[in-house]
């Protein structure tokens, strides 16, 4: 029996680091986890209470394939309160993580051979899933001069408008936020040229500087907006996300959603309604304050050591660092750092297949004590360079 050609996509290399870190943790119990892109905290307390109640009181069978109405209403209301966007519950589609939203959107909007544009460095699953679906991926090399985000000028230089453009702001792995005016101009350009803008907003809520996080629907309702409870809401394993989709996609999305997953996890849907209440948001904003402290501690501490070239970490919980003066093989280098210090970091190769051998990503969503400890352990090693 043959294995499909379409499955020959790149793996998620960071999983190798996770495995090595898990092995070391089992043997030495001393791993500092700065590789995985997730909070170290559980879901907000009201969500935990709502989940317990749902398990006791609900049947928790299948739900409507695009999610339960009260959760759609809660999310629509949240957009009004927090993002300044008027959303109707019928425009919200609940999905199995934002990952589920991307698969549905890609299938609903793109055919085999269509070109979709994204930034490099960028979140690898977009590229890999699109390739598995037979789409062409055109990566825009976005460096420090562009603050690691696509620009309108780059799009205008394309020989023909692509079928789609994905923008993540704040971005993974860089944490950069796209300038709101530039983003609005890009959204309008996409609408005018029949390009589906997919705005990955799953890190909204986590920002540290002056740049505001524009919801794409503030600029164009032709865009698709993707959200998730994974990052700001500290609920990665609950596998719940959502998207706001223009009405022309609604039938296709409904057909795909019901066939692909039947429905998103029921217990997560009932529990997640409590994630948007004031008590939860206060708890979550407390995490964001800690992320800001952690970011500053690492920026200062690593800057005093041998690592000082970072992408501007405007939001999310990552530092993306240039380590070209230390190594030309950051995968091997991260493995060595893990073996010698117990500090787990992600090599850049997942995010940038051209230059990722000279970059690393650190996640600072852990405890502040972990950041201090990581700096202490890295110091002797970095001094040797
Ligand atoms: C930019 C970005 N988009 C999407 C995802 C997928 O998140 P989830 O499926 O947990 O919502 C991630 C996960 O790290 C991410 O960093």
């Amino acid at each position: 029996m043959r294995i499909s050609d379409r499955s020959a996509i790149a793996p998620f290399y960071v999983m190798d680091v996770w495995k090595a870190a898990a092995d070391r943790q089992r043997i030495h119990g001393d791993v500092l986890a700065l590789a995985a892109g997730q909070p170290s905290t559980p879901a907000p307390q009201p969500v935990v209470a709502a989940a317990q109640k749902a398990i006791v009181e609900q049947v928790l069978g299948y739900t409507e394939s695009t999610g339960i109405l009260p959760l759609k209403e809660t999310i629509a209301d949240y957009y009004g309160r927090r993002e300044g966007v008027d959303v109707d519950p019928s425009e919200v589609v609940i999905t199995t993580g934002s990952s589920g939203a991307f698969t549905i959107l890609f299938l609903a909007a793109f055919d085999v051979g269509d070109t979709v544009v994204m930034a490099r460095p960028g979140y690898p699953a977009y590229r890999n899933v699109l390739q598995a679906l037979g789409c062409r991926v055109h990566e825009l090399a976005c460096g420090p001069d562009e603050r690691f985000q696509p620009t309108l000028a780059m799009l205008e230089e394309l020989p023909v408008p692509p079928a789609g453009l994905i923008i993540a702001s704040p971005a993974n792995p860089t944490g950069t936020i796209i300038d709101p005016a530039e983003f609005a101009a890009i959204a309008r350009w996409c609408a005018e040229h029949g390009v589906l803008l997919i705005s990955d907003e799953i890190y909204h809520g986590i920002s540290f500087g002056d740049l505001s996080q524009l919801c794409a629907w503030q600029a164009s309702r032709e865009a698709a907006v993707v959200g998730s409870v994974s990052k700001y809401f500290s609920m990665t394993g609950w596998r719940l996300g959502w998207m706001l989709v223009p009405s022309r996609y609604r039938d296709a999305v409904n057909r795909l959603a019901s066939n692909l997953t039947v429905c998103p996890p029921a217990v997560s849907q009932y529990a997640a309604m409590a994630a948007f209440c004031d008590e939860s948001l206060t708890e979550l904003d407390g995490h964001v304050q800690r992320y800001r402290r952690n970011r500053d501690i690492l920026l200062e501490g690593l800057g005093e050591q041998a690592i000082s070239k970072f992408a501007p970490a405007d939001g999310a919980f990552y530092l993306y660092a240039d380590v070209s003066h230390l190594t030309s093989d950051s995968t091997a280098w991260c493995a060595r750092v893990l073996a010698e210090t117990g500090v787990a970091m992600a090599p850049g190769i997942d995010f940038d297949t051209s230059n990722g051998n000279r970059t690393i990503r650190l996640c600072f969503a852990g405890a502040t004590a972990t950041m201090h400890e990581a700096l202490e352990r890295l110091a002797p090693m970095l001094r040797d360079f």
Side-chain angles (χ1 to χ4, degrees):
M1 243 30 107
R2 63 186 284 278
I3 310 291
S4 72
D5 291 340
R6 67 164 70 228
S7 65
I9 54 173
F12 232 151
Y13 292 105
V14 74
M15 295 298 175
D16 296 342
V17 182
W18 288 12
K19 185 176 176 315
D23 290 347
R24 182 182 171 112
Q25 182 67 7
R26 250 193 322 278
I27 298 163
H28 300 287
D30 68 346
V31 168
L32 300 177
L34 276 67
Q38 62 177 344
S40 55
T41 42
Q45 194 45 48
V47 172
V48 175
Q52 286 166 334
K53 191 163 180 288
I55 287 169
V56 173
E57 294 180 3
Q58 301 271 0
V59 173
L60 297 176
Y62 295 134
T63 69
E64 295 93 312
S65 57
T66 60
I68 57 174
L69 182 59
L71 178 58
K72 293 180 181 187
E73 288 169 342
T74 304
I75 291 174
D77 175 64
Y78 179 77
Y79 272 90
R81 279 187 292 140
R82 275 245 172 158
E83 303 272 7
V85 181
D86 194 20
V87 174
D88 190 88
S90 67
E91 295 172 308
V92 182
V93 176
I94 312 294
T95 55
T96 306
S98 70
S99 304
F102 286 110
T103 309
I104 293 172
L105 264 180
F106 294 166
L107 283 165
F110 308 132
D111 277 314
V112 171
D114 278 353
T115 299
V116 181
V117 171
M118 61 177 277
R120 187 180 70 227
Y123 180 59
Y126 310 141
R127 177 193 349 109
N128 299 340
V129 172
L130 282 164
Q131 282 172 352
L133 295 177
C135 295
R136 288 174 219 271
V137 177
H138 180 81
E139 294 184 320
L140 298 173
C142 300
D145 291 347
E146 299 83 28
R147 302 185 84 259
F148 298 90
Q149 291 281 1
T151 62
L152 181 61
M154 286 173 165
L155 299 174
E156 285 173 339
E157 276 167 19
L158 294 171
V160 282
L165 166 70
I166 307 174
I167 290 199
S169 173
N172 177 10
T174 58
T176 57
I177 294 177
I178 191 165
D179 177 77
E182 181 81 8
F183 190 32
I186 289 176
R188 284 193 297 271
W189 182 89
C190 285
E192 279 160 23
H193 291 82
V195 178
L196 176 64
L197 169 62
I198 300 179
S199 178
D200 182 342
E201 302 183 3
I202 81 163
Y203 291 98
H204 270 215
I206 312 175
S207 68
F208 313 114
D210 297 333
L211 281 174
S212 63
Q213 306 170 342
L214 187 75
C215 171
W217 269 23
Q218 281 177 350
S220 165
R221 311 259 319 186
E222 293 300 310
V225 174
V226 177
S228 172
V229 298
S230 287
K231 309 294 176 166
Y232 169 69
F233 295 93
S234 190
M235 295 170 62
T236 48
W238 296 68
R239 307 313 301 132
L240 205 72
W242 64 85
M243 54 187 165
L244 311 179
V245 279
S247 54
R248 65 180 179 283
Y249 292 111
R250 207 144 326 135
D251 287 347
V253 162
N254 288 349
R255 289 193 298 272
L256 288 159
S258 52
N259 278 293
L260 282 170
T261 54
V262 182
C263 69
V267 68
S268 300
Q269 292 190 64
Y270 286 104
M273 280 190 283
F276 303 86
C277 72
D278 287 343
E279 190 186 337
S280 291
L281 299 182
T282 303
E283 188 179 327
L284 297 168
D285 288 338
H287 296 333
V288 177
Q289 294 308 320
R290 174 168 43 83
Y291 302 154
R292 177 197 294 271
R293 280 197 302 279
N294 291 353
R295 178 196 70 152
D296 294 346
I297 288 165
L298 285 185
L299 280 176
E300 194 185 327
L302 290 169
E304 285 167 3
Q305 298 178 12
I307 302 178
S308 57
K309 266 164 86 182
F310 300 101
D314 306 320
F317 33 55
Y318 306 114
L319 287 184
Y320 193 59
D322 180 341
V323 289
S324 52
H325 55 304
L326 304 178
T327 182
S328 56
D329 182 354
S330 56
T331 305
W333 192 78
C334 285
R336 197 181 129 203
V337 172
L338 178 65
E340 290 185 19
T341 69
V343 179
M345 304 182 295
I349 193 69
D350 274 321
F351 313 103
D352 184 341
T353 47
S354 300
N355 298 308
N357 270 330
R358 292 184 285 276
T359 57
I360 57 170
R361 189 198 72 178
L362 291 83
C363 173
F364 52 78
T368 301
T370 304
M371 306 303 129
H372 285 299
E373 173 79 21
L375 286 173
E376 259 177 49
R377 289 200 210 166
L378 289 172
M381 202 178 163
L382 292 177
R383 254 200 312 268
D384 292 345
F385 285 99

